[in-house]
Amino acid sequence: MRELAADGVPVAVACRMLTLSRQHYYRWLSQPVTDAEVTVAYRANALFDAHRDDPEFGYRFLAGEAETAGERMSERTAWRICRDNAWWSAFGKKRSKNGKRPGSAVHDDFVQRDFTADAPNQLWLTDITEHPTSQGKLYLCAVKDAFSGRIVGYSIDNRMKARLAVNALDSAVARRGDVAGCTVHSDRGSQFRSRKYVHALHRHGLAGSMGRVGSAGDNAAMESFFALLQNNVLDRRTWATRQDLRTAIVTWIERTYHRRRRQLRLGRLTPIEYETTMKPAALAA
């Protein structure tokens, strides 16, 4: 502005060309740095010193440390200054999962959280869980029939690949026989979006369905089974070998869950008893 004025350009014309207000320009000339900006600078210095000394402190603790140093401010002000300068707690900042984002769905959601079925092999639910052992993680993919809650197929492996989900689906089809037209609902995990899994669905005449990203309720009925497994098997002890955990999982599913655990929604029957009782009626209907 001063250079333009030295060349004989009036201030009003220069301000109009630079889309500035003359009042703001003259106010800045009289006080280039405002009192508010000076106050923010002192507060930021106090917060920075506290953050440098204790990187694990969040903005609330930093505000307390700044007040001790003589710069009193509200927690909201401390949060705003920390946000503007990207001063995050070493423990509070969420990390991304390897920079990966969930992929797009290969199927629509045909279930819409209605986990009910009038007959066997109308709606299957599937998901994958994992648990550590001294030898490394063990992965379980299970397929659950929404009609009776029975685990109609499962696969256990040391690696979480697409083959894990495909094997679980194949075992369910082998156990149930003709299941063409059944809907298989899952989340958007890469195993269920893989080409191998989609081909397995088409090979058996099954219809795929997928819930939304980050919405556990879209597959809540399957999550409830894994919660039971977690409480009754996985978290009961530490597991030395994968084989020990594999044996415990299979034993609990086949002996306890299917044949001994009575469910209130099934009229206090086990999944096997419920299917034995209700299957003739379902077939007749």
Side-chain angles (χ1 to χ4, degrees), residues 1-284:
M1 192 75 75
R2 289 174 179 173
E3 293 176 357
L4 292 175
D7 293 337
V9 179
V11 172
V13 176
C15 287
R16 193 180 306 116
M17 292 173 57
L18 299 174
T19 65
L20 296 175
S21 170
R22 281 189 300 167
Q23 291 83 354
H24 290 168
Y25 171 67
Y26 286 119
R27 188 181 302 131
W28 178 83
L29 280 181
S30 62
Q31 189 180 18
V33 180
T34 64
D35 294 338
E37 291 173 337
V38 173
T39 301
V40 170
Y42 278 113
R43 289 174 173 176
N45 285 337
L47 291 172
F48 175 75
D49 291 340
H51 175 70
R52 181 180 54 191
D53 293 339
D54 297 288
E56 71 275 8
F57 279 8
Y59 70 91
R60 293 185 177 89
F61 287 103
L62 294 180
E65 292 295 306
E67 183 176 357
T68 303
E71 293 296 331
R72 186 175 183 180
M73 71 193 82
S74 67
E75 291 184 352
R76 179 68 181 180
T77 299
W79 172 84
R80 178 175 53 79
I81 295 175
C82 290
R83 178 204 61 187
D84 293 342
N85 292 277
W87 296 334
W88 305 110
S89 167
F91 300 137
K93 188 64 176 176
K94 293 183 178 179
R95 269 56 172 186
S96 62
K97 297 181 179 178
N98 301 324
K100 298 179 181 178
R101 295 183 178 180
S104 59
V106 295
H107 307 291
D108 293 329
D109 186 354
F110 298 111
V111 176
Q112 298 294 324
R113 299 193 179 188
D114 182 12
F115 306 111
T116 58
D118 299 327
N121 306 327
Q122 285 187 350
L123 173 60
W124 288 354
L125 312 171
T126 184
D127 203 352
I128 297 175
T129 189
E130 64 182 45
H131 197 74
T133 70
S134 298
Q135 294 179 337
K137 290 184 178 180
L138 189 70
Y139 300 93
L140 165 69
C141 180
V143 181
K144 177 181 178 181
D145 194 319
F147 173 70
S148 62
R150 183 175 181 177
I151 303 303
V152 295
Y154 52 88
S155 176
I156 304 174
D157 204 341
N158 303 341
R159 303 179 66 187
M160 189 167 60
K161 296 293 186 179
R163 178 55 56 184
L164 179 72
V166 173
N167 288 343
L169 192 65
D170 289 342
S171 70
V173 173
R175 178 175 294 186
R176 302 297 262 189
D178 184 12
V179 295
C182 178
T183 299
V184 185
H185 184 74
S186 68
D187 60 17
R188 294 194 189 183
S190 60
Q191 296 77 21
F192 303 114
R193 292 185 293 105
S194 67
R195 186 175 303 175
K196 291 181 180 179
Y197 184 79
V198 174
H199 285 174
L201 288 175
H202 294 164
R203 186 172 69 251
H204 299 305
L206 303 170
S209 172
M210 283 189 166
R212 295 167 295 178
V213 174
S215 182
D218 286 357
N219 205 10
M222 195 65 208
E223 296 291 346
S224 66
F225 167 76
F226 283 149
L228 285 175
L229 180 66
Q230 196 83 28
N231 294 330
N232 288 272
V233 180
L234 304 183
D235 291 343
R236 294 295 294 272
R237 48 168 282 199
T238 57
W239 301 94
T241 66
R242 291 189 176 104
Q243 185 57 44
D244 290 343
L245 182 55
R246 183 194 303 267
T247 302
I249 291 174
V250 174
T251 301
W252 184 80
I253 291 176
E254 298 294 352
R255 186 177 67 182
T256 303
Y257 179 77
H258 281 163
R259 294 173 170 82
R260 299 180 60 189
R261 187 176 183 86
R262 302 183 181 278
Q263 301 184 27
L264 184 61
R265 77 175 187 90
L266 302 181
R268 294 204 167 275
L269 298 175
T270 66
I272 297 258
E273 291 173 344
Y274 185 78
E275 284 196 352
T276 303
T277 303
M278 300 299 295
K279 193 171 183 179
L283 292 175

